[in-house]
Amino acid sequence: MVGIVERLVPDELWELFQRVVPGAPSRPQGGGRRRHGDREVLAAIVFVATPGCTWPQLPSALFGPSGATAHRRFSEWSKARVWAKLHRLVLDVLGARGELDWSRCAIDSVNMPALKKGDLMGPNPIDRGKYGSKIHLITERSGMPISVGVSGANLHDSQALIPLVKGIPPIRSRRGASRRKPSKLHADKGYYAHLRKWLRGCGITYRIARKGVESSQRLGRHRWTVERTMAWLAGCRRLHRRYERKADHFLAFTSIACTLICYRRLAK
């Protein structure tokens, strides 16, 4: 019978995680409590991310580490950018298998209300000025997230396009060199026209809807994949609302959700 740790962190995902996680710090003075295994702590973090329980509610009887231990390790790994590295590593494996389609990529964002004030938050202009954050996302043609970022809810979508495109990491291809630039990028009417010139200079074909010219009924013809990925992100219940004061922690949970989405494709 497969235990909860093996179910939440399968062997293949654990092997990839071992390649990016930093080693345990040494204790020159010796002694101290035995350090909980990284796999058990990772399973506890995934459990917090997916059902969305709080750290004190973490059932330590199932995993071993307490909520305080899991949160401390989560903070250490977030500071070391482990989650972004793991996401990129899973994308590398998918790209090496030829399962990433760069012919049509799409960009979109989703608002997340916040329960506490913290970094990278702002009043949401479409939700009565309530404080919150935005998740910005670029997906390839089939919906795999290849670049992700967070901002305040008052940041206009158009201001996130350039950082997101620049933030696409070099991802392995089945043949040839690594790739980090889509052939074509689809965006809705919220992305202003001046971005067309920048995308053209990068050699990216743009499909940005124009106000008063193109019908809103056709906007989802190729962009439905990124909207579906946004719905997949909602499967990570920790992202239904922003609970974290630190933007790095909120981005870490977003990267974990993107990694799990990509890993599900990898495990098929």
Side-chain angles (χ1 to χ4, degrees):
M1 182 178 179
V2 179
I4 188 171
V5 173
E6 290 74 17
R7 180 170 59 84
L8 292 174
V9 185
D11 292 339
E12 190 173 6
L13 180 60
W14 170 237
E15 291 175 3
L16 295 174
F17 184 77
Q18 286 180 297
R19 294 167 57 180
V20 298
V21 66
S26 60
R27 292 174 174 170
Q29 75 278 13
R33 285 188 174 184
R34 181 183 64 85
R35 180 182 171 91
H36 288 285
D38 287 341
R39 187 169 186 175
E40 288 75 18
V41 176
L42 176 60
I45 294 172
V46 172
F47 186 83
V48 170
T50 45
C53 72
T54 64
W55 296 105
Q57 291 174 335
L58 182 70
S60 57
L62 292 178
F63 302 100
S66 63
T69 299
H71 181 263
R72 183 169 58 252
R73 200 83 60 90
F74 169 78
S75 300
E76 294 174 1
W77 291 343
S78 299
K79 188 176 181 180
R81 294 183 54 80
V82 169
W83 312 114
K85 295 175 183 177
L86 181 62
H87 180 207
R88 178 182 173 181
L89 189 57
V90 176
L91 286 173
D92 273 340
V93 179
L94 284 173
R97 295 184 181 181
E99 296 191 26
L100 296 180
D101 189 346
W102 294 81
S103 60
R104 289 184 187 272
C105 294
I107 183 173
D108 207 349
S109 67
V110 61
N111 286 291
M112 296 295 177
L115 296 183
K116 307 172 184 176
K117 288 189 178 181
D119 304 334
L120 292 182
M121 289 188 187
N124 190 345
I126 62 174
D127 192 15
R128 298 169 291 173
K130 293 182 179 180
Y131 266 71
S133 294
K134 273 186 181 179
I135 297 176
H136 303 270
L137 198 66
I138 293 180
T139 63
E140 49 85 59
R141 186 166 190 166
S142 64
M144 295 296 101
I146 57 176
S147 182
V148 63
V150 298
S151 72
N154 57 337
L155 184 79
H156 197 274
D157 289 350
S158 60
Q159 299 182 40
L161 186 144
I162 294 177
L164 270 188
V165 174
K166 289 183 176 180
I168 299 176
I171 300 172
R172 292 179 58 188
S173 300
R174 194 168 190 174
R175 298 182 182 88
S178 299
R179 185 165 184 173
R180 61 181 308 173
K181 185 172 66 174
S183 299
K184 189 180 296 184
L185 184 65
H186 289 260
D188 60 21
K189 296 180 181 180
Y191 296 86
Y192 292 149
H194 72 276
L195 297 170
R196 295 186 175 94
K197 182 178 180 181
W198 185 84
L199 290 171
R200 191 185 306 117
C202 294
I204 301 174
T205 303
Y206 54 84
R207 289 292 184 268
I208 300 177
R210 294 167 292 178
K211 292 184 178 180
V213 177
E214 294 168 318
S215 171
S216 299
Q217 297 177 354
R218 300 188 63 185
L219 291 180
R221 187 177 180 184
H222 298 292
R223 290 182 53 257
W224 65 271
T225 54
V226 67
E227 294 173 357
R228 181 187 61 180
T229 304
M230 293 295 186
W232 285 344
L233 286 179
C236 181
R237 296 185 62 85
R238 190 75 182 190
L239 298 180
H240 282 196
R241 290 176 175 83
R242 178 173 167 177
Y243 298 93
E244 287 72 33
R245 293 183 183 272
K246 294 183 178 179
D248 290 345
H249 289 183
F250 183 61
L251 180 60
F253 277 119
T254 307
S255 297
I256 291 172
C258 292
T259 300
L260 295 177
I261 290 172
C262 295
Y263 179 75
R264 285 197 291 267
R265 169 69 60 82
L266 187 64
K268 287 185 178 179

